[in-house]
Amino acid sequence: MKPYLTIIIAISTLLLFVQCKKEVEFKGKNMKPKIVLNSIIYTDSIIECYVHKSNSVASGIFTVQPLTNATVVLSENGVVVETMTHVSNGKYLSNTTALEGKIYKIHVSLNNYDDAIGTSQIVYKPEWIKIDSIGVVTSYQDNQGMIMFRLKMPKESATNYYAMTIYEKLLIHIYDEETHEIIDSTFQYFHMLADMDYARGIEFSRYHYDGETGYEKYFLTDKITSQENEGIIDFPIRNSIEQRNRTLLFVIEKISEDLFMYEHSLYMLDDYYDFPLFSQPVQTYMNIEGGLGFIGTSVIIPVYYYHQQ
């Protein structure tokens, strides 16, 4: 009898919550739409940006609204260089290649909107980046062991910020369906994962999608130093018994502090969505004057590592 009573009480409680429904009229102030400017500027690459408009919650519109007729002016070290051209869906393209150390400003204007201005300095490429294996560790999940790598970079007076993506270069054979003989071969790059439980110096990681594949990007600083006063990052990658010789590609990016803070806010936001009842609300990092959005810079340093067992 007791189990049936428990079921009846549970159903009654559920019906009570379902029926307790009340529509509340929104009486908040409708905010004026703002220009949203987003741009990540890469050294030695053409500068581009994306321009959209913000949507109020009361509007019921939750899709991106591109602004295709804005005036987007690009300046370099305080001097106007050009007016950027709209390409498609709010994307504006310049003819300017970003140079190391230069300060770039993107000024967006459009009738009935406040101007939005983003400014960022291209980070300087480090004099050197070194990476090497320093041993093997075994996790409780992986009996094959993991190769522990150490990334080194010059240590400067101010904190420097980095991002890293890891790939393995593999030779892929293409076989004839009938004869099963190799008819062609090509090299492909596959994303690799670092084990965060055994890493030292990695601040956080975020899942990214490049339009074709997803991958994990790791964000780090040079806060931990060696006896030689070098910034060091230690992280393990899963070993492979099948391949005695491996080629790994570490794509290292030195990034601006703004870009690091922006990615960290998205990381905290992801964590909030995963555990909303146990997390504080998070606001996305923004640095656009007069509008919304973000601008940051990056310089990419690819580092190959050849591992032999």
Side-chain angles (χ1 to χ4, degrees), residues 215-228:
Y215 60 95
E216 200 74 13
K217 181 177 280 192
Y218 302 91
F219 295 87
L220 29 128
T221 67
D222 59 359
K223 294 178 181 178
I224 301 177
T225 57
S226 65
Q227 294 180 348
E228 295 78 19

Side-chain angles (χ1 to χ4, degrees), residues 105-123:
K105 179 173 75 173
I106 300 176
H107 188 144
V108 183
S109 58
L110 184 63
N111 290 338
N112 301 321
Y113 290 89
D114 295 333
D115 288 9
I117 303 171
T119 305
S120 190
Q121 181 177 16
I122 301 292
V123 293

